[in-house]
Amino acid sequence: MTVSDEMRYRIERDSMGEMQVPADALYGASTARAVENFPISGLRFPRAFIRALGLIKLAAARTNAELGLLSEEKARLIAEAAQEVADGRWDGEFPLDIFQTGSGTSTNMNANEVIATRAAQIAGGGRPVHPNDDVNMGQSSNDVIPSAIHVSAYLEIAEQLLPAMAHLQEMLERRAAETDDVVKMGRTHLMDAMPVRLGQEIGGWAAQVRLARERIEATLPRLAQLALGGTAVGTGINAHPEFGSRVAAVLAELTGLPFREADNHFAAQATQNTATEVSGQLKTYAVALMKIANDLRWMNSGPQGGLAEIALPALQPGSSIMPGKVNPVIPEAVMMVCAQVIGNDVTITVSDQAGNFELNVMLPVIAYNLLQSIQILASASRVLADRAVAGFTVNREAIDDVVEKNPILVTALNPIIGYDRAAQIAKRAYAENRRIKDVAAEMTDLSPEEIDRLLDPAELTRGGIKGGGSAG
């Protein structure tokens, strides 16, 4: 090692021997080995996951001190350093690629080393805390990383996703109420159908969001179960029998969320079924958002050659060559988010299958994809609510014109004149580009008053069979 190298690196030792580590790094030899071994993607664990690791290490230190296994001074040093990790002060000290050892051992050791080094700095020097013996006391990567997945996902869902979904639902409900007097063309198979109120259509979107939120909330009791206490294979070797329940209780106190020890440690470590369940519900929400975004794009299409039922807010120029063109950029961005989440679900599903005997070995990629899905769905929900739903305007004139000429309105006459006669009226009205009411007046014995009552578009959106009159 040259003099220059000595200034830039220090020598650290682990069970495999010596390793050069950047001189100012808080991490040690195990992390440096993993940096060297996995130069694969440049993708890093997100902030939410590092936060969860810090909270777990803090809770573990407090628990081990309460159990009389760790000195109060060591616990204090670990807890202070771990809190800094949880708070995001040392995110730059977590350089590892998510494509690494499938248990996430490298990242668990990364946390142990950073906390131990930082504890030494807080103590004023020396090595008062050992990364394995003290920071990792009562733990294994095999129960820490699955627990960090659950803790980080629960926190992100509770703090980010569910509030964003509630915001979108409320915005949709508000716009549904504001537009409930607008009667528009219903469409099935992208073809003209019976009329609906715009408020009913938007209310359907709001219900999709509400149901998706309820589905996600239904997974939380299982996400609250933590693998901590199972250590290497689920038996709890080297951990106090009360460690799992106590550390979960401390995490519950720290976060205000109902974390508890897993009902079965072997299932908690060998599988990621709960992550797959949560991802499946995130995918379901993505499918709902995709439908809403697509409907908004269709309704906004035009302004001359499309439906032109609404006008989304004009946010930016839509073309580098066509002046004046404005595109539905927010729904398009949301749809890309949805596609990503659906793809993430496939990755998580395939990864969950990679549990052999006592351990799943694709934990880092599950963590990354699950947390990304939560984060981008939360952001997309707020953007869709605030930059598309809140500000669209309704083109009432265009909507009214289409509804008046809709030949499918004749469906309301089926109980009175029969399907076949109604079909004849519809075909003639379409062929002659005339209002269905005018053609019905010529082809039936119904009075103009009866036709107006029976074919009132607004009344037709309220359901029920309209009777009266006789077939002509």
Side-chain angles (χ1 to χ4, degrees):
M1 183 184 294
T2 66
V3 173
S4 176
D5 287 338
E6 288 177 353
M7 294 176 63
R8 291 186 292 117
Y9 293 96
R10 70 180 191 272
I11 299 297
E12 290 281 345
R13 294 168 179 80
D14 61 10
S15 60
M16 294 187 69
E18 294 185 346
M19 192 71 189
Q20 286 187 6
V21 178
D24 59 351
L26 294 183
Y27 60 77
S30 292
T31 303
R33 290 186 195 281
V35 169
E36 190 175 275
N37 288 336
F38 306 112
I40 296 176
S41 70
L43 299 176
R44 305 286 184 258
F45 279 97
R47 163 96 280 277
F49 191 83
I50 299 172
R51 175 192 180 192
L53 275 177
L55 291 174
I56 287 170
K57 297 300 178 179
L58 188 163
R62 279 180 48 179
T63 298
N64 283 320
E66 291 169 359
L67 292 169
L69 303 174
L70 191 67
S71 72
E72 291 292 338
E73 178 61 12
K74 285 186 175 182
R76 181 187 69 80
L77 293 171
I78 293 171
E80 186 173 340
Q83 185 66 64
E84 292 178 352
V85 169
D87 291 342
R89 182 173 174 182
W90 306 113
D91 285 1
E93 297 290 333
F94 289 81
L96 299 184
D97 204 286
I98 63 162
F99 297 106
Q100 54 166 277
T101 172
S103 61
T105 297
S106 298
T107 292
N108 184 43
M109 278 306 303
N110 189 174
N112 293 334
E113 290 175 342
V114 168
I115 291 169
T117 302
R118 181 60 187 143
Q121 292 177 350
I122 294 169
R127 290 181 178 267
V129 171
H130 192 279
N132 296 80
D133 296 339
D134 299 322
V135 182
N136 202 58
M137 179 182 286
Q139 306 150 63
S140 163
S141 303
N142 299 353
D143 62 356
V144 167
I145 300 301
S147 297
I149 292 173
H150 279 220
V151 171
S152 58
Y154 201 133
L155 283 166
E156 288 295 284
I157 288 171
E159 296 177 356
Q160 303 298 327
L161 180 58
L162 293 179
M165 294 175 74
H167 177 61
L168 176 57
Q169 179 188 333
E170 290 165 6
M171 184 64 72
L172 288 167
E173 289 171 345
R174 177 166 71 80
R175 295 311 311 270
E178 293 172 354
T179 60
D180 200 48
D181 63 327
V182 179
V183 179
K184 58 161 286 184
M185 177 88 75
R187 294 180 179 87
T188 59
H189 303 267
L190 287 179
M191 304 298 286
D192 301 347
M194 292 298 289
V196 298
R197 298 193 303 280
L198 183 54
Q200 291 173 319
E201 204 164 55
I202 299 174
W205 302 343
Q208 283 185 274
V209 176
R210 174 179 56 80
L211 290 169
R213 181 165 54 83
E214 291 172 358
R215 292 185 187 104
I216 293 169
E217 288 173 339
T219 69
L220 296 180
R222 289 169 292 287
L223 201 57
Q225 295 189 39
L226 305 182
L228 288 164
T231 65
V233 294
T235 60
I237 184 70
N238 291 349
H240 190 284
E242 297 178 17
F243 179 82
S245 60
R246 284 177 175 248
V247 76
V250 174
L251 284 166
E253 176 190 336
L254 291 171
T255 63
L257 300 176
F259 292 117
R260 66 182 183 86
E261 186 176 8
D263 292 335
N264 186 293
H265 284 282
F266 300 98
Q269 294 178 209
T271 79
Q272 280 293 298
N273 292 169
T274 297
T276 302
E277 178 192 13
V278 174
S279 178
Q281 298 303 351
L282 297 175
K283 177 191 69 176
T284 301
Y285 179 44
V287 170
L289 273 187
M290 182 84 81
K291 194 267 188 203
I292 295 168
N294 240 332
D295 282 354
L296 284 167
R297 288 200 313 153
W298 272 102
M299 293 163 65
N300 179 77
S301 61
Q304 301 299 325
L307 300 182
E309 293 182 341
I310 65 170
L312 291 168
L315 300 178
Q316 61 189 59
S319 174
S320 61
I321 190 172
M322 293 176 281
K325 193 171 189 291
V326 178
N327 296 331
V329 293
I330 297 300
E332 289 171 354
V334 169
M335 290 172 66
M336 286 189 280
V337 164
C338 296
Q340 183 68 51
V341 171
I342 292 167
N344 287 351
D345 181 63
V346 174
T347 298
I348 292 167
T349 301
V350 172
S351 299
D352 189 17
Q353 297 177 65
N356 305 116
F357 303 109
E358 277 64 66
L359 184 66
N360 180 281
V361 291
M362 296 183 76
L363 297 175
V365 78
I366 290 173
Y368 181 87
N369 282 275
L370 185 64
L371 291 170
Q372 184 192 61
S373 291
I374 295 167
Q375 187 270 314
I376 60 178
L377 280 173
S379 297
S381 298
R382 291 195 177 277
V383 166
L384 186 66
D386 296 337
R387 295 181 178 269
V389 176
F392 74 75
T393 57
V394 180
N395 188 347
R396 291 174 180 261
E397 183 177 347
I399 288 174
D400 290 344
D401 183 61
V402 170
V403 169
E404 282 292 319
K405 292 181 178 178
N406 180 9
I408 306 302
L409 290 176
V410 79
T411 302
L413 302 183
N414 284 359
I416 302 166
I417 65 175
Y419 182 94
D420 292 338
R421 176 65 66 85
Q424 293 171 5
I425 294 171
K427 290 177 181 179
R428 180 177 165 187
Y430 179 73
E432 298 176 4
N433 192 29
R434 296 171 62 198
R435 295 195 320 159
I436 197 72
K437 289 181 178 181
D438 296 336
V439 177
E442 296 175 4
M443 295 182 65
T444 70
D445 293 333
L446 296 171
S447 69
E449 292 76 19
E450 286 179 299
I451 291 174
D452 283 341
R453 179 175 61 83
L454 292 167
L455 299 183
D456 180 350
E459 285 301 314
L460 294 176
T461 67
R462 293 181 172 88
I465 297 175
K466 309 298 187 296
S470 58

